[in-house]
Amino acid sequence: MTSSLVELRVLEGPNLYFPRAAIKLTLDVSSLAAAPEETAVRFARRIGLRNARPGAAETGFRQRFAARAVARLVRAVAAESGTSRLAVRVRPTSDPHQLVVAFPWRRRERAQAMGRAVAEVLDALLSDDIDAAVSHAAATVAASEAGAAPHTIVPRIPVVAVTGTNGKTTTSRMIAHIARTGGKLVGWSNTDGIYIDGEQVESGDYSGPSGAGRVLAHPGVELAVTETARGGILLKGIGLTRNDVSVVTNVTADHLGLQGIDTVDQLAEVKGVVPRITRPGGWAVLNGDDPRVYAMRTTTKAQPWVFSRDPDSPAVREVLNAGGRATTVIDGWICVLRAHADADPLVELVDVPMTLAGLSRFNVENTLAAASAALAIGIPREVVVEGLRTFLPDAEHNPGRMNIFSIGEVSVVVDLAHNEAGLEALIEIMNGIRRSGSRLLLGLGAVGDRTDDLIDKLGEIGARDADEVAIGHKSQYLRGRTTEGIEELMRAGAARVGVEDVPAYPTEVACLSALMSHAQPGDVVGLMCHADRQGVYDWIAAAGGTADDPETLKLKVRAAH
């Protein structure tokens, strides 16, 4: 017989279900869904649902009963094993025969024992003695070892936590740079590794709970800036009990179909865990132009600080009326707004290199978010201004994100661009520095855990907006796909907008080399770079390329417009 326990996961800190450590069970409830009605009624009575109406087998009524019954089962086993008043959350999944059940824990081994015991009761549902199965489960839990307490860290220094679909790495790097400009010893964690005072001390993806823990464990760090990704929240929970300032950049379609997150609304709920644990008296910095992000102000106890490119947006007005703050753009200036006060102009967009004189809409938003967070954590105004002026879109300050180079008279833009919104942002930058009459040449790519629709859409967007497209594969990130499968999807998207010629190359470097061989003076070559960033940088250097400084970028923008 198939076990009812599909997965038992220990979440070490705040998570989608609770603001503290929890056990997450994925349970197969096929036996309960298909059981005869009299069996379901007998089960309900044993766990204390006296007047339950389970409905017929395999109906929507039975599905709703199953969710209620499983929650009650967890509480019954907990109560009979000596734990009272246990909170339980139950959620459906895309599979009607599977439910996610979560409950908080204080002792690891006993909590895991309870998860396994609940599944064993469901396994015994069709037995003649369900009463004995529940009693045995409770006895097993009561006799189990208690185990260790959660390892969730209580921060000893201020923490800025950044999340969102796009822009979180750039925003967290900007915040760290601003703080270092003011002399702070900053530790930050992101998808590239752990950085202490600007030096990478560990490489790898540390956007999960372990990254925050390693930063806080480092002696001498005065401010922690943590990038918090969807996967870490879902798979491990957040490693900290709280943060002082949270930032949510945006929520768009990405990583859907993984870990039970199938819609953008569900993804927004995951990202919303970060502001939900911002301390009272702290600040939740939210994108006022993204309705899903702006709605997070209702689930946090922190003060709201919105950022918006529109100073007259309803979000700005509402937050100011509620006593919050806002950061926006007025007459080309980044400005801070407070209720019943004149706007405070910080710096002109033309003096912030990351925004390309304000042409990069996405980096304007990242800049507004970073400025808001830096001010919210208490960094002086003049330091924030200097930090914004000196943070550059180059491999030193922001590796792999909107890095712009010159190879002769050809511009090259290297960016992660891992989803539709990221690709559109890359193309926006490319257009921002393209001279009249010049072309865009674009190297596409995708990692294998994206949905078919997203990979197809990348091909469509690239072929629609660029003059020439090619595919540069990321072989170590296929994640179950084949290169041929990715090519097929991208070419299908390109064909929808009339582009049939989409060559493919085995690596990102090979793709860049091929596009450069076709480039003419004034053209802009863009590359979605994820797998071999250093290899791409080395190729550019060997080709005589140099990173654009702020003055070069200004000249390119002026020439393009």
Side-chain angles (χ1 to χ4, degrees):
M1 183 179 70
T2 303
S3 171
S4 297
L5 183 60
V6 177
E7 181 187 55
L8 188 157
R9 185 168 291 279
V10 180
L11 304 176
E12 296 285 354
N15 53 78
L16 180 59
Y17 314 101
F18 293 99
R20 55 194 181 279
I23 295 291
K24 174 197 169 192
L25 305 174
T26 304
L27 297 173
D28 187 323
V29 294
S30 298
S31 58
L32 183 54
E37 194 164 350
E38 57 270 23
T39 300
V41 169
R42 186 171 70 249
F43 172 59
R45 287 174 179 166
R46 172 60 183 86
I47 59 177
L49 293 177
R50 299 298 177 190
N51 299 310
R53 292 178 294 176
E58 302 293 2
T59 63
F61 294 105
R62 179 62 66 87
Q63 288 178 21
R64 299 188 72 83
F65 163 76
R68 182 174 169 229
V70 167
R72 183 70 181 205
L73 171 62
V74 173
R75 292 190 180 99
V77 172
E80 292 181 31
S81 63
T83 299
S84 60
R85 299 173 61 95
L86 181 69
V88 182
R89 303 279 187 270
V90 179
R91 289 172 177 253
T93 70
S94 56
D95 183 340
H97 286 156
Q98 288 190 5
L99 292 172
V100 169
V101 184
F103 55 88
W105 64 275
R106 292 184 178 176
R107 294 292 173 180
R108 179 186 301 269
E109 296 303 324
R110 185 161 294 164
Q112 292 183 88
M114 190 161 78
R116 290 188 291 268
V118 166
E120 289 168 3
V121 173
L122 292 176
D123 290 341
L125 186 68
L126 300 180
S127 69
D128 293 333
D129 198 349
I130 189 65
D131 186 83
V134 175
S135 298
H136 176 72
T140 299
V141 174
S144 66
E145 293 290 329
H151 300 308
T152 319
I153 297 169
V154 179
R156 56 179 172 76
I157 58 173
V159 175
V160 179
V162 183
T163 192
T165 303
N166 294 293
K168 56 184 177 290
T169 299
T170 295
T171 301
S172 62
R173 287 170 174 165
M174 291 182 78
I175 296 166
H177 173 79
I178 292 168
R180 291 186 67 227
T181 301
K184 291 278 189 186
L185 200 162
V186 184
W188 70 97
S189 57
N190 58 34
T191 50
D192 287 332
I194 305 292
Y195 293 79
I196 304 297
D197 201 27
E199 295 295 325
Q200 187 179 49
V201 296
E202 294 190 53
S203 62
D205 186 348
Y206 283 97
S207 58
S210 63
R214 290 176 189 243
V215 167
L216 288 169
H218 198 281
V221 170
E222 299 173 282
L223 172 68
V225 181
T226 66
E227 180 182 329
T228 309
R230 163 210 60 87
I233 298 171
L234 290 169
L235 298 176
K236 290 288 188 179
I238 295 175
L240 308 178
T241 58
R242 60 161 177 80
N243 57 67
D244 298 275
V245 173
S246 55
V247 181
V248 187
T249 58
N250 48 63
V251 179
T252 61
D254 194 24
H255 293 287
L256 299 182
L258 300 174
Q259 286 95 40
I261 303 302
D262 300 305
T263 69
V264 179
D265 287 333
Q266 290 173 334
L267 183 60
E269 195 174 10
V270 176
K271 304 289 187 183
V273 174
V274 175
R276 206 166 72 206
I277 64 167
T278 305
R279 67 173 177 81
W283 292 92
V285 176
L286 305 173
N287 186 342
D289 297 331
D290 186 323
R292 292 182 178 90
V293 175
Y294 181 55
M296 294 176 191
R297 75 196 187 284
T298 64
T299 63
T300 181
K301 296 178 181 178
Q303 305 168 90
W305 190 320
V306 298
F307 60 93
S308 170
R309 288 174 288 109
D310 178 8
D312 298 317
S313 79
V316 170
R317 184 172 63 250
E318 289 174 5
V319 164
L320 293 180
N321 288 340
R325 295 182 188 175
T327 309
T328 188
V329 179
I330 300 176
D331 294 337
W333 283 75
I334 296 173
C335 298
V336 175
L337 306 181
R338 297 174 176 81
H340 314 299
D342 292 329
D344 178 16
L346 297 179
V347 60
E348 281 193 278
L349 285 174
V350 294
D351 293 324
V352 181
M354 279 301 298
T355 71
L356 284 188
L359 291 174
S360 172
R361 177 171 59 91
F362 289 93
N363 276 328
V364 168
E365 292 179 355
N366 293 338
T367 299
L368 294 176
S372 304
L375 292 167
I377 204 67
I379 296 173
R381 178 187 184 281
E382 63 275 11
V383 173
V384 174
V385 171
E386 181 62 18
L388 294 177
R389 284 176 169 157
T390 54
F391 186 83
L392 307 179
D394 60 18
E396 177 186 351
H397 292 85
N398 202 24
R401 269 71 174 181
M402 294 301 174
N403 300 156
I404 305 176
F405 302 86
S406 295
I407 302 179
E409 293 187 55
V410 177
S411 295
V412 178
V413 186
V414 177
D415 188 74
L416 180 66
H418 56 100
N419 53 33
E420 297 163 61
L423 178 56
E424 288 172 345
L426 170 59
I427 293 169
E428 181 182 55
I429 292 288
M430 293 170 69
N431 276 314
I433 58 175
R434 173 173 64 165
R435 299 201 303 253
S436 176
S438 298
R439 301 176 304 151
L440 301 185
L441 294 81
L442 179 62
L444 297 169
V447 295
D449 61 0
R450 270 39 174 191
T451 63
D452 288 359
D453 287 345
L454 189 147
I455 297 173
D456 174 284
K457 191 67 175 179
L458 293 177
E460 178 184 336
I461 293 170
R464 180 194 67 201
D465 294 344
D467 298 287
E468 181 178 329
V469 290
I471 299 168
H473 284 302
K474 314 171 192 301
S475 297
Q476 63 267 53
Y477 292 97
L478 291 175
R479 295 170 181 169
R481 290 189 184 270
T482 63
T483 54
E484 293 80 9
I486 289 176
E487 289 172 21
E488 182 180 352
L489 289 168
M490 285 195 164
R491 285 171 177 153
R496 210 160 40 246
V497 291
V499 176
E500 301 290 345
D501 182 19
V502 184
Y505 300 91
T507 66
E508 293 166 342
V509 172
C511 182
L512 174 60
S513 176
L515 291 173
M516 282 297 301
S517 70
H518 301 162
Q520 302 296 320
D523 288 348
V524 181
V525 175
L527 181 68
M528 297 173 68
C529 181
H530 185 94
D532 189 14
R533 188 170 67 209
Q534 190 57 53
V536 167
Y537 290 160
D538 291 344
W539 188 94
I540 291 171
T546 56
D548 289 354
D549 59 25
E551 193 56 38
T552 301
L553 282 174
K554 284 183 182 180
L555 291 173
K556 287 185 176 182
V557 171
R558 289 184 189 130
H561 297 271

